[in-house]
Amino acid sequence: LTEWVLQTACRQNRQWHDMGFSDMRVSVNISSQLFRSDKLPAMVENALEKTGLPSCCLELEITESVMMQNPDHVMRQLQQIKKMGVFISIDDFGTGYSSFNYLKLLPIDSVKIDRTFVHDLLVSDENMAIVKAIIAAAHILELTVVAEGMESVEQLALLERNGCDQGQG
């Protein structure tokens, strides 16, 4: 199923590129089960080759829990994928293990702040403190920060004022 989703997403983004939207990146969530085998790098390479999508236009999203299962194995696969030029993000950051050790070691490009922190951002000082900490740490590590689940202009303005790079919602 993941292979089909990956190829479909790459094919669709390729069509958008051909229509003139060449600066778009498509994101695909990768299940933790897929990291148990060595198939992911070949699967990614195959999808890019079949569709002709430039590797920089594909983003793979992994959760923090993926890193904890078999860190060395996951690291090797992510490094292979990163060498292809694929963008890698940690999805739902802050809700799992949040190991800063892995954050600094993994070949990733961005962290996505989980929507649970963004949802109550305007009414929860605790959520704002967590969001600020994630933004600060990510920027020190030269990572892009994406806030998931943005639903209002007020959330957008607050996140922009605090240095969040992108929003999703």
Side-chain angles (χ1 to χ4, degrees):
L1 182 62
T2 302
E3 189 167 13
W4 177 83
V5 169
L6 190 58
Q7 288 191 14
T8 301
C10 288
R11 187 172 25 263
Q12 178 61 61
N13 199 17
R14 181 66 215 191
Q15 288 175 355
W16 288 328
H17 278 241
D18 292 344
M19 294 169 56
F21 301 103
S22 59
D23 60 345
M24 291 184 63
R25 185 180 314 130
V26 65
S27 296
V28 177
N29 288 311
I30 302 298
S31 74
S32 59
Q33 288 180 313
L34 194 54
F35 280 95
R36 292 189 187 127
S37 72
D38 289 324
K39 296 179 181 179
L40 184 59
M43 195 180 296
V44 170
E45 188 173 34
N46 185 39
L48 291 170
E49 285 178 8
K50 278 188 172 181
T51 61
L53 183 71
S55 59
C56 64
C57 298
L58 175 62
E59 176 177 353
L60 300 183
E61 296 184 13
I62 62 170
T63 59
E64 296 173 73
S65 60
V66 167
M67 299 178 292
M68 304 307 286
Q69 293 173 358
N70 188 343
D72 293 333
H73 185 71
V74 170
M75 182 73 76
R76 280 191 300 276
Q77 290 187 75
L78 289 176
Q79 287 171 339
Q80 289 174 10
I81 293 166
K82 186 70 181 157
K83 284 180 185 174
M84 292 177 211
V86 173
F87 199 88
I88 301 172
S89 294
I90 296 181
D91 195 22
D92 302 332
F93 186 77
T95 60
Y97 299 98
S98 298
S99 173
F100 285 100
N101 186 48
Y102 288 110
L103 190 60
K104 73 176 185 174
L105 295 175
L106 286 171
I108 60 172
D109 300 289
S110 72
V111 294
K112 293 189 171 193
I113 301 171
D114 187 71
R115 68 182 60 249
T116 57
F117 300 117
V118 176
H119 177 69
D120 293 329
L121 196 60
L122 300 172
V123 295
S124 171
D125 291 338
E126 292 85 5
N127 281 11
M128 189 67 235
I130 291 168
V131 167
K132 285 180 178 180
I134 292 170
I135 292 170
H139 283 168
I140 289 169
L141 295 170
E142 299 180 2
L143 300 172
T144 301
V145 181
V146 180
E148 293 183 316
M150 286 189 0
E151 298 175 351
S152 71
V153 174
E154 293 82 12
Q155 288 172 329
L156 172 64
L158 184 58
L159 287 161
E160 282 180 338
R161 278 196 309 274
N162 284 281
C164 188
D165 302 301
Q166 298 174 8
Q168 179 179 322

